[in-house]
Amino acid sequence: MARTRTDIRRARIRLGAAAAGIALLAGCGSGGEAQTSGDTAALSGEIIWADFGGPTNEARQEIYFAPFTENTGVEVVSVVVNDAMQEAMMSGGQGDYDATHVGLDLVYANKDNVTQIPAEYQDQALPEDIRAYAFGTFYVGHAQGYLSDTFPNGGPKTWADFWDVQTYPGKRAWPGTPGSYDSSCEIALLADGVAPENLYPLDFDRCSAKLDELRPNMVFYMSYPEIQQLLVSGTAAVAMGPSGQFSALRNAGQDVTVSWDQAVVAPNVIAIPKQAPNAENILALTEYFHDPERQAEFAARTNYGPGNPEAYEHIPADVQDNLANAPSHTAVVYQDSKARAEATEELLNWYTSWLAG
């Protein structure tokens, strides 16, 4: 059921104390004194921000929202994305959200229903034909990772290696829910020898055939945190998944190796539906999200790659090593979000069917 305005007001009350505490911390972050170039004195009210919660939202609260509220008086109210409301608003309908966290392919599919971002706050890492329609970009890598002592003499690097259970024995952790197809087809095609420039349009029959080869050695996870459990328990020797899960293991004290060779990199973005109730406020917030020092701090906190290339001027080399779109990661493969947008329904139907066997 979609959240009502009453639900959101209740959320604001619950978040009020936390927001106050975060505001105290914000002055310690980089760029804490940044001022907006627009007439922020005229702003008032609130922003209803929809994302997936958790540590990513916590980082946004401290790095972006708190200083914005301090400088403008506009309160940012965070709610967890409701799929029905997000779909309605991205399709041009009414709803409560001023901003919503989506994949870039969804933006391509709904450009006519999305508010454009001012040119000076557009993320230059995005393709030119879409950068006016999204902001707050960060890059996720669908990579393979393993505990380093699992392969003391060196483990798999490419996706062909991932499939090679003779040379690199052990089970492979793999996404097991229909909506978590992630980069599964691209990865299967890369493992089958397809060159990155020839991945699209996706050949679903070839993807299925290659995945069938590995299915006997797969262990399916139903949620991303299970990746960590499967590796630590030894149930899986290697896992395919979002690079943030491997960073979480490293932060927990585990020695983890991540291969960026052929890791499939994809942007996550924020879109402003044209029906956003507080359009002026959310457009003002885009300036904070574009700031390179704030993006650098967000990258250090989350291990997601920044959308503004200038952020790398403020990111230490050891932090860059863990970011999907780091300049040093020259062997990664970028998803074609536009091509995937044209095949969204096919992708879901294909993976649902393949999982069912």
Side-chain angles (χ1 to χ4, degrees):
M1 179 181 295
R3 283 198 175 210
T4 65
R5 180 65 63 172
T6 299
D7 293 329
I8 291 170
R9 289 195 180 100
R10 288 172 179 163
R12 179 165 65 247
I13 293 170
R14 291 195 299 269
L15 290 168
I22 290 169
L24 294 174
L25 294 172
C28 301
S30 62
E33 299 300 317
Q35 299 294 316
T36 56
S37 58
D39 183 14
T40 58
L43 299 177
S44 63
E46 64 184 11
I47 288 170
I48 306 301
W49 178 280
D51 65 18
F52 300 99
T56 301
N57 178 267
E58 292 170 7
R60 286 171 172 156
Q61 293 269 358
E62 181 175 332
I63 296 165
Y64 300 117
F65 299 162
F68 174 76
T69 297
E70 183 177 4
N71 289 337
T72 67
V74 174
E75 185 178 7
V76 182
V77 182
S78 287
V79 298
V80 175
V81 169
N82 175 278
D83 290 342
M85 183 175 289
Q86 181 184 78
E87 182 177 348
M89 295 195 75
M90 291 298 289
S91 300
Q94 299 288 330
D96 294 332
Y97 298 161
D98 296 303
T100 186
H101 184 155
V102 294
L104 192 60
D105 49 355
L106 189 60
V107 181
Y108 268 113
N110 295 278
K111 284 173 65 173
D112 292 343
N113 304 316
V114 176
T115 298
Q116 293 193 40
I117 308 302
E120 61 268 34
Y121 306 136
Q122 294 172 11
D123 287 334
Q124 299 301 305
L126 292 176
E128 188 173 359
D129 64 348
I130 200 67
R131 63 179 62 146
Y133 298 88
F135 75 100
T137 308
F138 65 78
Y139 282 82
V140 178
H142 297 130
Q144 58 179 307
Y146 54 88
L147 300 186
S148 301
D149 60 8
T150 302
F151 300 105
N153 297 319
K157 295 181 179 179
T158 67
W159 294 115
D161 293 341
F162 188 88
W163 256 252
D164 185 356
V165 294
Q166 301 301 316
T167 305
Y168 307 103
K171 298 291 186 180
R172 276 34 177 174
W174 193 264
T177 59
S180 64
Y181 50 79
D182 288 334
S183 302
S184 294
C185 195
E186 286 93 338
I187 288 170
L189 293 174
L190 290 166
D192 206 33
V194 176
E197 62 270 21
N198 296 327
L199 286 174
Y200 303 95
L202 297 170
D203 184 336
F204 294 113
D205 289 339
R206 187 169 178 179
C207 293
S208 294
K210 191 63 178 176
L211 289 174
D212 285 341
E213 291 180 14
L214 193 62
R215 189 194 288 266
N217 293 289
M218 286 179 173
V219 177
F220 293 104
Y221 54 82
M222 301 296 112
S223 66
Y224 291 134
E226 287 183 46
I227 292 172
Q228 301 173 50
Q229 300 167 17
L230 291 170
L231 290 177
V232 171
S233 68
T235 305
V238 193
M240 183 281 275
S243 52
Q245 294 302 315
F246 306 125
S247 296
L249 275 172
R250 188 178 294 111
N251 292 339
Q254 297 287 342
D255 185 2
V256 180
T257 297
V258 177
S259 174
W260 293 104
D261 193 341
Q262 297 185 323
V264 181
V265 175
N268 275 227
V269 298
I270 304 299
I272 304 173
K274 280 191 175 176
Q275 302 296 337
N278 302 290
E280 185 178 1
N281 289 345
I282 189 63
L283 284 170
L285 181 59
T286 64
E287 178 177 358
Y288 287 71
F289 271 80
H290 186 67
D291 179 78
E293 291 188 50
R294 296 190 195 281
Q295 286 203 15
E297 187 176 357
F298 183 80
R301 282 276 299 270
T302 64
N303 281 324
Y304 291 132
N308 183 350
E310 294 177 13
Y312 275 104
E313 299 174 11
H314 309 282
I315 301 176
D318 61 330
V319 175
Q320 291 190 30
D321 288 343
N322 297 320
L323 305 181
N325 65 336
S328 61
H329 294 159
T330 57
V332 300
V333 176
Y334 283 85
Q335 272 188 3
D336 185 334
S337 298
K338 189 173 185 178
R340 287 171 64 89
E342 296 168 357
T344 299
E345 187 172 351
E346 288 179 273
L347 267 166
L348 180 58
N349 291 340
W350 159 72
Y351 201 59
T352 302
S353 176
W354 183 80
L355 282 174

